[in-house]
Amino acid sequence: MGNTNYNSAESDPGEAKPESLDFIREIVADDLANGRHASTVTRFPPEPNGYLHIGHAKSICLNFGIAQENKGGICHLRFDDTNPAKEDIEYVDSIKEDVQWLGFDWGKNIFFASDYFEKLYAFAVELIETGKAFVCELTLEEIAEHRGTPTRPGTNSPFRDRSPEENLALFQRMRDGEFADGTRVLRARIDMASPNLHMRDPVLYRIRKVPHHRTGSQWCLYPMYDFTHCLSDSIEGITHSLCTLEFEVHRPLYDWVLDNVTIDRRPRQIEFARLSLTYTVLSKRRLLTLVEEGRVSGWDDPRMPTLSGLRRRGYTPSGIRAFCKTIGMTKFNSLTDVALLEHSIRHDLNDTTPRRLAVLRPLKVVITNFDAGAVEELEAPNHPKNPEAGSRTVPFTREIYVERDDFMEDPPSKFHRLGPGREVRLRFAYFITCNEVIRNAAGEVTELHCTYDPETRGGNAPDGRKVKGTIHWVSAAHAHEAEVRLYDRLFTVEDPNREEDGKTYLDYLNPNSLEVLRDARLEPGLANAAPGERFQFERSGYFCADTVDSQPGKPVFNRTVTLRDAWAKKQKKG
RNA sequence: UGCCGAAUAGUGUAACGGUAGCACGAGUGACUCUGACUCACUUUGUCUAGGUUCGAAUCCUAGUUCGGCAACCA
């Protein structure tokens, strides 16, 4: 340690600028500093009616992140399961898996709003007793009519002034199952003239004779979100209840409920902007439609922005976490460029992923001056910057495959690859020169005849001669044939949610979002890739062995993301 | 025409009355056995109009634009 401090003026960590906090963490820090709370309790509260997506990752990283950053902080996983008609155990299982996979641990703190049904019922009884809730027999349509409009106040329900005794008896009978679905609701008694629609005597309970995935047929009466959420937060001792912007107008109701029942712990709701990403959709409803209509293969289709889809595609938890850090936390409804996500995953994968040679669209090359029966084992490092990643050996023979894109018959001068008479380096192998182009009857190039320079073994010329390009290759006899799936963005437009000219997001689906290559040739070791294992196919991109369709000894690869490609960019510009 | 909220480079964000920074993208160059990575440089911004102030992205006023809100969904 002693003599390493050669520039204390700049390297003193004590003078380092603290990272700026987002507005939520600032509030949290204040509450801690002024003793309002001894520590933090946050919660991630999904409804188990769909799979988690990248937008949820933002919320998970926020809530669990705050717990990690503050001494004694904890974060609950709470399922907001108050609508049995839409919810399913399949979703609670997938949500638990996804949160864990993302790298977070709720420990013992896993809860279900349905566990609070009895307590919630008691709170409702308290509201009735104090004259702040009533049983209403208006129909759904009538309630809507009585609600008024944003500019016109609502009108009182004729059932609004029933006595607490009558309401209590009715509410009990609702619980006992005496009434049919939709015939009665419990409503808060607030103000039908409130400028906030949510305060116009909102529905607190409705009758649903539907079995619940956890409570079975124990209840036929289910509490609404606005009643459930704030009280669940209070019951659990949540200090900061963080949700997205659309709940901002619900906050007065959140506070009203807490103000009007007897509680001992008071959570505070703070809203932030949900994530929107270019070239995709992030609404459960739309994602569900994609799944149900078979536009994708399922919730975990690698083109889906779901966590299970991203996982199958090869995204890493750390890459997604880094992305969430990058996008920040504000109250501004923004549309984040998916390039930010792609950068995060490339950056993560670059450091950690072993390199391999894989030819996606093979073109045969015969090295005419190489011995027909000979096999040379060449050493190839697994990572260009990290020697500790070790190396493996790849076989080199007279017949190899190279990428079709790495050959042009009439290349421009900027093309640093194979062309008639041109010399290139085969990565980790030899310099070769293209002498002859073989065509089939249709005139298509089927094969190249090249010669190699034996002096360049390993990739360097003793005479100091340079080549412009290095291309990847694989020995024809040893190559492992595999299916490789190339994924592109699911939609063709930046904002598919923008439904102009009568079009919907479904009209913007990218017909080329999936390209299946059945003829890829991989270096032999790749045959043993384990499902979920990730590699960089050099000069091409990051790939992950599919966890669903791979067979032992026969992996199928998904492209996670391409490498940045300056050449492709240059070409596009013309 | 109601209520709530938000506006900072192309995109996402920071600056908390005192020099408008950062990341991504884009561009140029260096390096290179991946046209990758890395590095250097460049480009582009405070919604508008007033006001307060020595000084405003920040405070005030008015406007503009955008988002959300009228499920017995969450």
Side-chain angles (χ1 to χ4, degrees), chain A residues 95-129:
Chain A
I95 289 168
K96 283 157 72 175
E97 183 185 0
D98 288 346
V99 172
Q100 277 176 323
W101 175 75
L102 237 201
F104 297 102
D105 179 16
W106 54 81
K108 291 178 185 162
N109 301 302
I110 178 166
F111 302 103
F112 294 82
S114 54
D115 289 342
Y116 308 139
F117 281 173
E118 197 61 58
K119 286 181 183 169
L120 262 17
Y121 185 85
F123 281 122
V125 166
E126 183 183 353
L127 282 181
I128 293 171
E129 285 170 344

mmCIF file of all heavy atoms in Angstrom, chain A residues 95-129:
data_model
loop_
_atom_site.group_PDB
_atom_site.id
_atom_site.type_symbol
_atom_site.label_atom_id
_atom_site.label_comp_id
_atom_site.label_asym_id
_atom_site.label_seq_id
_atom_site.Cartn_x
_atom_site.Cartn_y
_atom_site.Cartn_z
ATOM 1 N N ILE A 95 -42.727 -15.426 -11.772
ATOM 2 C CA ILE A 95 -42.268 -14.164 -11.193
ATOM 3 C C ILE A 95 -41.170 -14.413 -10.150
ATOM 4 O O ILE A 95 -40.141 -13.741 -10.125
ATOM 5 C CB ILE A 95 -43.459 -13.397 -10.566
ATOM 6 C CG1 ILE A 95 -44.357 -12.856 -11.693
ATOM 7 C CG2 ILE A 95 -42.972 -12.267 -9.665
ATOM 8 C CD1 ILE A 95 -45.707 -12.320 -11.245
ATOM 9 N N LYS A 96 -41.384 -15.425 -9.321
ATOM 10 C CA LYS A 96 -40.358 -15.757 -8.322
ATOM 11 C C LYS A 96 -39.049 -16.137 -9.008
ATOM 12 O O LYS A 96 -37.968 -15.685 -8.614
ATOM 13 C CB LYS A 96 -40.849 -16.908 -7.442
ATOM 14 C CG LYS A 96 -41.866 -16.475 -6.409
ATOM 15 C CD LYS A 96 -42.743 -17.603 -5.925
ATOM 16 C CE LYS A 96 -42.018 -18.581 -5.030
ATOM 17 N NZ LYS A 96 -42.957 -19.598 -4.489
ATOM 18 N N GLU A 97 -39.159 -16.944 -10.033
ATOM 19 C CA GLU A 97 -37.961 -17.375 -10.750
ATOM 20 C C GLU A 97 -37.229 -16.170 -11.353
ATOM 21 O O GLU A 97 -35.999 -16.066 -11.267
ATOM 22 C CB GLU A 97 -38.358 -18.360 -11.865
ATOM 23 C CG GLU A 97 -37.154 -18.902 -12.614
ATOM 24 C CD GLU A 97 -37.550 -19.777 -13.809
ATOM 25 O OE1 GLU A 97 -38.775 -19.958 -14.037
ATOM 26 O OE2 GLU A 97 -36.641 -20.259 -14.497
ATOM 27 N N ASP A 98 -37.991 -15.274 -11.952
ATOM 28 C CA ASP A 98 -37.373 -14.128 -12.627
ATOM 29 C C ASP A 98 -36.688 -13.166 -11.648
ATOM 30 O O ASP A 98 -35.625 -12.632 -11.934
ATOM 31 C CB ASP A 98 -38.428 -13.369 -13.447
ATOM 32 C CG ASP A 98 -38.840 -14.153 -14.689
ATOM 33 O OD1 ASP A 98 -38.138 -15.116 -15.048
ATOM 34 O OD2 ASP A 98 -39.874 -13.795 -15.288
ATOM 35 N N VAL A 99 -37.325 -12.937 -10.504
ATOM 36 C CA VAL A 99 -36.728 -12.026 -9.525
ATOM 37 C C VAL A 99 -35.411 -12.613 -9.013
ATOM 38 O O VAL A 99 -34.399 -11.919 -8.899
ATOM 39 C CB VAL A 99 -37.689 -11.757 -8.352
ATOM 40 C CG1 VAL A 99 -36.997 -10.967 -7.244
ATOM 41 C CG2 VAL A 99 -38.918 -10.996 -8.837
ATOM 42 N N GLN A 100 -35.423 -13.897 -8.742
ATOM 43 C CA GLN A 100 -34.204 -14.561 -8.273
ATOM 44 C C GLN A 100 -33.125 -14.533 -9.340
ATOM 45 O O GLN A 100 -31.961 -14.268 -9.068
ATOM 46 C CB GLN A 100 -34.505 -16.014 -7.883
ATOM 47 C CG GLN A 100 -35.056 -16.123 -6.483
ATOM 48 C CD GLN A 100 -35.441 -17.545 -6.119
ATOM 49 O OE1 GLN A 100 -35.946 -18.293 -6.950
ATOM 50 N NE2 GLN A 100 -35.214 -17.900 -4.874
ATOM 51 N N TRP A 101 -33.546 -14.832 -10.545
ATOM 52 C CA TRP A 101 -32.574 -14.847 -11.646
ATOM 53 C C TRP A 101 -31.928 -13.471 -11.801
ATOM 54 O O TRP A 101 -30.726 -13.365 -12.036
ATOM 55 C CB TRP A 101 -33.278 -15.249 -12.952
ATOM 56 C CG TRP A 101 -32.369 -15.177 -14.138
ATOM 57 C CD1 TRP A 101 -31.372 -16.056 -14.477
ATOM 58 C CD2 TRP A 101 -32.353 -14.148 -15.138
ATOM 59 N NE1 TRP A 101 -30.746 -15.638 -15.622
ATOM 60 C CE2 TRP A 101 -31.323 -14.479 -16.044
ATOM 61 C CE3 TRP A 101 -33.105 -12.997 -15.358
ATOM 62 C CZ2 TRP A 101 -31.029 -13.687 -17.158
ATOM 63 C CZ3 TRP A 101 -32.815 -12.212 -16.452
ATOM 64 C CH2 TRP A 101 -31.788 -12.561 -17.346
ATOM 65 N N LEU A 102 -32.716 -12.432 -11.626
ATOM 66 C CA LEU A 102 -32.177 -11.077 -11.763
ATOM 67 C C LEU A 102 -31.140 -10.783 -10.667
ATOM 68 O O LEU A 102 -30.388 -9.819 -10.761
ATOM 69 C CB LEU A 102 -33.307 -10.049 -11.659
ATOM 70 C CG LEU A 102 -33.529 -9.071 -12.800
ATOM 71 C CD1 LEU A 102 -34.295 -7.859 -12.308
ATOM 72 C CD2 LEU A 102 -32.264 -8.645 -13.504
ATOM 73 N N GLY A 103 -31.132 -11.620 -9.648
ATOM 74 C CA GLY A 103 -30.091 -11.489 -8.640
ATOM 75 C C GLY A 103 -30.570 -10.933 -7.307
ATOM 76 O O GLY A 103 -29.773 -10.440 -6.519
ATOM 77 N N PHE A 104 -31.875 -11.014 -7.044
ATOM 78 C CA PHE A 104 -32.382 -10.456 -5.797
ATOM 79 C C PHE A 104 -33.016 -11.525 -4.922
ATOM 80 O O PHE A 104 -33.504 -12.538 -5.401
ATOM 81 C CB PHE A 104 -33.373 -9.325 -6.098
ATOM 82 C CG PHE A 104 -32.714 -8.174 -6.822
ATOM 83 C CD1 PHE A 104 -32.880 -8.012 -8.189
ATOM 84 C CD2 PHE A 104 -31.896 -7.292 -6.140
ATOM 85 C CE1 PHE A 104 -32.257 -6.969 -8.864
ATOM 86 C CE2 PHE A 104 -31.263 -6.245 -6.802
ATOM 87 C CZ PHE A 104 -31.444 -6.093 -8.160
ATOM 88 N N ASP A 105 -32.982 -11.244 -3.622
ATOM 89 C CA ASP A 105 -33.389 -12.241 -2.641
ATOM 90 C C ASP A 105 -34.348 -11.594 -1.655
ATOM 91 O O ASP A 105 -33.993 -10.654 -0.956
ATOM 92 C CB ASP A 105 -32.124 -12.741 -1.921
ATOM 93 C CG ASP A 105 -32.468 -13.763 -0.852
ATOM 94 O OD1 ASP A 105 -33.592 -14.302 -0.870
ATOM 95 O OD2 ASP A 105 -31.604 -13.997 0.021
ATOM 96 N N TRP A 106 -35.550 -12.107 -1.605
ATOM 97 C CA TRP A 106 -36.527 -11.544 -0.664
ATOM 98 C C TRP A 106 -36.442 -12.247 0.699
ATOM 99 O O TRP A 106 -37.149 -11.875 1.628
ATOM 100 C CB TRP A 106 -37.944 -11.673 -1.246
ATOM 101 C CG TRP A 106 -38.287 -13.080 -1.640
ATOM 102 C CD1 TRP A 106 -38.711 -14.079 -0.812
ATOM 103 C CD2 TRP A 106 -38.202 -13.657 -2.937
ATOM 104 N NE1 TRP A 106 -38.892 -15.240 -1.526
ATOM 105 C CE2 TRP A 106 -38.601 -15.013 -2.833
ATOM 106 C CE3 TRP A 106 -37.842 -13.157 -4.200
ATOM 107 C CZ2 TRP A 106 -38.630 -15.875 -3.934
ATOM 108 C CZ3 TRP A 106 -37.877 -14.024 -5.289
ATOM 109 C CH2 TRP A 106 -38.257 -15.358 -5.152
ATOM 110 N N GLY A 107 -35.573 -13.254 0.784
ATOM 111 C CA GLY A 107 -35.424 -13.957 2.063
ATOM 112 C C GLY A 107 -36.738 -14.569 2.504
ATOM 113 O O GLY A 107 -37.378 -15.295 1.754
ATOM 114 N N LYS A 108 -37.143 -14.226 3.724
ATOM 115 C CA LYS A 108 -38.418 -14.767 4.226
ATOM 116 C C LYS A 108 -39.587 -13.877 3.826
ATOM 117 O O LYS A 108 -40.730 -14.176 4.123
ATOM 118 C CB LYS A 108 -38.378 -14.822 5.753
ATOM 119 C CG LYS A 108 -37.414 -15.857 6.303
ATOM 120 C CD LYS A 108 -37.423 -15.782 7.833
ATOM 121 C CE LYS A 108 -36.365 -16.717 8.406
ATOM 122 N NZ LYS A 108 -36.045 -16.369 9.805
ATOM 123 N N ASN A 109 -39.263 -12.758 3.216
ATOM 124 C CA ASN A 109 -40.298 -11.746 3.012
ATOM 125 C C ASN A 109 -41.068 -11.907 1.705
ATOM 126 O O ASN A 109 -41.013 -11.056 0.827
ATOM 127 C CB ASN A 109 -39.670 -10.357 3.104
ATOM 128 C CG ASN A 109 -39.020 -10.134 4.450
ATOM 129 O OD1 ASN A 109 -39.683 -10.239 5.481
ATOM 130 N ND2 ASN A 109 -37.727 -9.870 4.448
ATOM 131 N N ILE A 110 -41.762 -13.009 1.630
ATOM 132 C CA ILE A 110 -42.650 -13.206 0.485
ATOM 133 C C ILE A 110 -44.076 -13.205 1.012
ATOM 134 O O ILE A 110 -44.384 -13.905 1.980
ATOM 135 C CB ILE A 110 -42.308 -14.494 -0.285
ATOM 136 C CG1 ILE A 110 -43.279 -14.689 -1.443
ATOM 137 C CG2 ILE A 110 -42.312 -15.718 0.634
ATOM 138 C CD1 ILE A 110 -42.822 -15.730 -2.433
ATOM 139 N N PHE A 111 -44.892 -12.365 0.422
ATOM 140 C CA PHE A 111 -46.251 -12.185 0.934
ATOM 141 C C PHE A 111 -47.269 -12.198 -0.199
ATOM 142 O O PHE A 111 -46.916 -12.055 -1.369
ATOM 143 C CB PHE A 111 -46.352 -10.857 1.689
ATOM 144 C CG PHE A 111 -45.375 -10.750 2.832
ATOM 145 C CD1 PHE A 111 -44.219 -9.992 2.700
ATOM 146 C CD2 PHE A 111 -45.608 -11.415 4.022
ATOM 147 C CE1 PHE A 111 -43.299 -9.899 3.753
ATOM 148 C CE2 PHE A 111 -44.702 -11.321 5.081
ATOM 149 C CZ PHE A 111 -43.544 -10.566 4.938
ATOM 150 N N PHE A 112 -48.510 -12.369 0.213
ATOM 151 C CA PHE A 112 -49.612 -12.336 -0.744
ATOM 152 C C PHE A 112 -50.708 -11.455 -0.162
ATOM 153 O O PHE A 112 -51.051 -11.599 1.015
ATOM 154 C CB PHE A 112 -50.174 -13.746 -0.963
ATOM 155 C CG PHE A 112 -49.200 -14.675 -1.641
ATOM 156 C CD1 PHE A 112 -48.211 -15.318 -0.911
ATOM 157 C CD2 PHE A 112 -49.264 -14.887 -3.011
ATOM 158 C CE1 PHE A 112 -47.310 -16.167 -1.535
ATOM 159 C CE2 PHE A 112 -48.369 -15.735 -3.646
ATOM 160 C CZ PHE A 112 -47.380 -16.378 -2.904
ATOM 161 N N ALA A 113 -51.219 -10.573 -0.969
ATOM 162 C CA ALA A 113 -52.326 -9.745 -0.490
ATOM 163 C C ALA A 113 -53.467 -10.639 -0.015
ATOM 164 O O ALA A 113 -54.189 -10.296 0.922
ATOM 165 C CB ALA A 113 -52.790 -8.800 -1.596
ATOM 166 N N SER A 114 -53.606 -11.792 -0.636
ATOM 167 C CA SER A 114 -54.698 -12.692 -0.254
ATOM 168 C C SER A 114 -54.545 -13.189 1.188
ATOM 169 O O SER A 114 -55.519 -13.602 1.807
ATOM 170 C CB SER A 114 -54.778 -13.871 -1.221
ATOM 171 O OG SER A 114 -53.535 -14.533 -1.317
ATOM 172 N N ASP A 115 -53.322 -13.144 1.710
ATOM 173 C CA ASP A 115 -53.126 -13.499 3.114
ATOM 174 C C ASP A 115 -53.768 -12.473 4.045
ATOM 175 O O ASP A 115 -53.974 -12.735 5.223
ATOM 176 C CB ASP A 115 -51.628 -13.589 3.450
ATOM 177 C CG ASP A 115 -50.985 -14.812 2.807
ATOM 178 O OD1 ASP A 115 -51.730 -15.730 2.418
ATOM 179 O OD2 ASP A 115 -49.749 -14.835 2.706
ATOM 180 N N TYR A 116 -54.036 -11.302 3.510
ATOM 181 C CA TYR A 116 -54.583 -10.229 4.352
ATOM 182 C C TYR A 116 -56.096 -10.085 4.212
ATOM 183 O O TYR A 116 -56.684 -9.160 4.771
ATOM 184 C CB TYR A 116 -53.935 -8.880 3.982
ATOM 185 C CG TYR A 116 -52.421 -8.909 3.984
ATOM 186 C CD1 TYR A 116 -51.702 -8.252 2.993
ATOM 187 C CD2 TYR A 116 -51.710 -9.611 4.960
ATOM 188 C CE1 TYR A 116 -50.318 -8.276 2.975
ATOM 189 C CE2 TYR A 116 -50.320 -9.649 4.950
ATOM 190 C CZ TYR A 116 -49.632 -8.977 3.960
ATOM 191 O OH TYR A 116 -48.261 -9.007 3.936
ATOM 192 N N PHE A 117 -56.724 -10.979 3.455
ATOM 193 C CA PHE A 117 -58.155 -10.814 3.190
ATOM 194 C C PHE A 117 -58.972 -10.624 4.466
ATOM 195 O O PHE A 117 -59.874 -9.791 4.518
ATOM 196 C CB PHE A 117 -58.689 -11.999 2.380
ATOM 197 C CG PHE A 117 -58.381 -11.929 0.910
ATOM 198 C CD1 PHE A 117 -58.665 -13.005 0.062
ATOM 199 C CD2 PHE A 117 -57.804 -10.787 0.343
ATOM 200 C CE1 PHE A 117 -58.382 -12.934 -1.307
ATOM 201 C CE2 PHE A 117 -57.517 -10.718 -1.012
ATOM 202 C CZ PHE A 117 -57.809 -11.799 -1.837
ATOM 203 N N GLU A 118 -58.657 -11.409 5.499
ATOM 204 C CA GLU A 118 -59.414 -11.315 6.745
ATOM 205 C C GLU A 118 -59.199 -9.942 7.407
ATOM 206 O O GLU A 118 -60.138 -9.289 7.845
ATOM 207 C CB GLU A 118 -58.991 -12.441 7.689
ATOM 208 C CG GLU A 118 -59.963 -12.704 8.822
ATOM 209 C CD GLU A 118 -61.348 -13.127 8.318
ATOM 210 O OE1 GLU A 118 -61.437 -14.145 7.597
ATOM 211 O OE2 GLU A 118 -62.342 -12.438 8.641
ATOM 212 N N LYS A 119 -57.930 -9.507 7.433
ATOM 213 C CA LYS A 119 -57.621 -8.193 8.024
ATOM 214 C C LYS A 119 -58.275 -7.072 7.225
ATOM 215 O O LYS A 119 -58.805 -6.108 7.779
ATOM 216 C CB LYS A 119 -56.109 -7.953 8.052
ATOM 217 C CG LYS A 119 -55.378 -8.756 9.099
ATOM 218 C CD LYS A 119 -53.884 -8.443 9.073
ATOM 219 C CE LYS A 119 -53.157 -9.317 10.095
ATOM 220 N NZ LYS A 119 -51.700 -9.250 9.952
ATOM 221 N N LEU A 120 -58.206 -7.228 5.923
ATOM 222 C CA LEU A 120 -58.782 -6.214 5.051
ATOM 223 C C LEU A 120 -60.294 -6.108 5.291
ATOM 224 O O LEU A 120 -60.862 -5.006 5.314
ATOM 225 C CB LEU A 120 -58.500 -6.582 3.586
ATOM 226 C CG LEU A 120 -57.340 -5.950 2.813
ATOM 227 C CD1 LEU A 120 -56.290 -5.294 3.694
ATOM 228 C CD2 LEU A 120 -56.694 -6.938 1.858
ATOM 229 N N TYR A 121 -60.897 -7.260 5.476
ATOM 230 C CA TYR A 121 -62.337 -7.284 5.740
ATOM 231 C C TYR A 121 -62.657 -6.509 7.020
ATOM 232 O O TYR A 121 -63.606 -5.728 7.070
ATOM 233 C CB TYR A 121 -62.808 -8.743 5.862
ATOM 234 C CG TYR A 121 -64.306 -8.886 6.016
ATOM 235 C CD1 TYR A 121 -65.138 -8.919 4.905
ATOM 236 C CD2 TYR A 121 -64.893 -8.971 7.282
ATOM 237 C CE1 TYR A 121 -66.512 -9.041 5.046
ATOM 238 C CE2 TYR A 121 -66.260 -9.088 7.436
ATOM 239 C CZ TYR A 121 -67.073 -9.122 6.304
ATOM 240 O OH TYR A 121 -68.439 -9.236 6.447
ATOM 241 N N ALA A 122 -61.787 -6.705 8.018
ATOM 242 C CA ALA A 122 -61.991 -5.994 9.292
ATOM 243 C C ALA A 122 -61.851 -4.480 9.107
ATOM 244 O O ALA A 122 -62.597 -3.701 9.711
ATOM 245 C CB ALA A 122 -60.989 -6.503 10.331
ATOM 246 N N PHE A 123 -60.902 -4.072 8.272
ATOM 247 C CA PHE A 123 -60.753 -2.639 7.996
ATOM 248 C C PHE A 123 -62.006 -2.108 7.298
ATOM 249 O O PHE A 123 -62.467 -0.991 7.569
ATOM 250 C CB PHE A 123 -59.534 -2.372 7.117
ATOM 251 C CG PHE A 123 -58.230 -2.382 7.867
ATOM 252 C CD1 PHE A 123 -57.213 -3.263 7.507
ATOM 253 C CD2 PHE A 123 -58.007 -1.507 8.913
ATOM 254 C CE1 PHE A 123 -55.997 -3.265 8.192
ATOM 255 C CE2 PHE A 123 -56.786 -1.500 9.601
ATOM 256 C CZ PHE A 123 -55.787 -2.392 9.240
ATOM 257 N N ALA A 124 -62.555 -2.905 6.407
ATOM 258 C CA ALA A 124 -63.771 -2.484 5.705
ATOM 259 C C ALA A 124 -64.914 -2.319 6.701
ATOM 260 O O ALA A 124 -65.688 -1.355 6.632
ATOM 261 C CB ALA A 124 -64.130 -3.508 4.628
ATOM 262 N N VAL A 125 -64.998 -3.243 7.637
ATOM 263 C CA VAL A 125 -66.031 -3.162 8.667
ATOM 264 C C VAL A 125 -65.856 -1.871 9.473
ATOM 265 O O VAL A 125 -66.817 -1.179 9.773
ATOM 266 C CB VAL A 125 -65.978 -4.410 9.581
ATOM 267 C CG1 VAL A 125 -66.806 -4.184 10.847
ATOM 268 C CG2 VAL A 125 -66.474 -5.645 8.822
ATOM 269 N N GLU A 126 -64.608 -1.544 9.761
ATOM 270 C CA GLU A 126 -64.352 -0.306 10.504
ATOM 271 C C GLU A 126 -64.855 0.906 9.721
ATOM 272 O O GLU A 126 -65.479 1.818 10.273
ATOM 273 C CB GLU A 126 -62.854 -0.162 10.803
ATOM 274 C CG GLU A 126 -62.557 1.085 11.654
ATOM 275 C CD GLU A 126 -61.064 1.297 11.919
ATOM 276 O OE1 GLU A 126 -60.250 0.410 11.552
ATOM 277 O OE2 GLU A 126 -60.723 2.357 12.471
ATOM 278 N N LEU A 127 -64.599 0.924 8.427
ATOM 279 C CA LEU A 127 -65.074 2.040 7.606
ATOM 280 C C LEU A 127 -66.596 2.123 7.614
ATOM 281 O O LEU A 127 -67.174 3.209 7.662
ATOM 282 C CB LEU A 127 -64.579 1.888 6.158
ATOM 283 C CG LEU A 127 -63.130 2.258 5.864
ATOM 284 C CD1 LEU A 127 -62.839 2.065 4.369
ATOM 285 C CD2 LEU A 127 -62.821 3.696 6.266
ATOM 286 N N ILE A 128 -67.231 0.957 7.570
ATOM 287 C CA ILE A 128 -68.695 0.953 7.590
ATOM 288 C C ILE A 128 -69.197 1.491 8.929
ATOM 289 O O ILE A 128 -70.102 2.334 8.987
ATOM 290 C CB ILE A 128 -69.228 -0.481 7.373
ATOM 291 C CG1 ILE A 128 -68.899 -0.956 5.948
ATOM 292 C CG2 ILE A 128 -70.733 -0.530 7.610
ATOM 293 C CD1 ILE A 128 -69.195 -2.424 5.689
ATOM 294 N N GLU A 129 -68.568 1.035 10.000
ATOM 295 C CA GLU A 129 -68.997 1.449 11.338
ATOM 296 C C GLU A 129 -68.876 2.963 11.544
ATOM 297 O O GLU A 129 -69.682 3.566 12.247
ATOM 298 C CB GLU A 129 -68.162 0.719 12.399
ATOM 299 C CG GLU A 129 -68.590 -0.738 12.558
ATOM 300 C CD GLU A 129 -67.609 -1.521 13.431
ATOM 301 O OE1 GLU A 129 -66.473 -1.045 13.651
ATOM 302 O OE2 GLU A 129 -67.993 -2.623 13.878
#
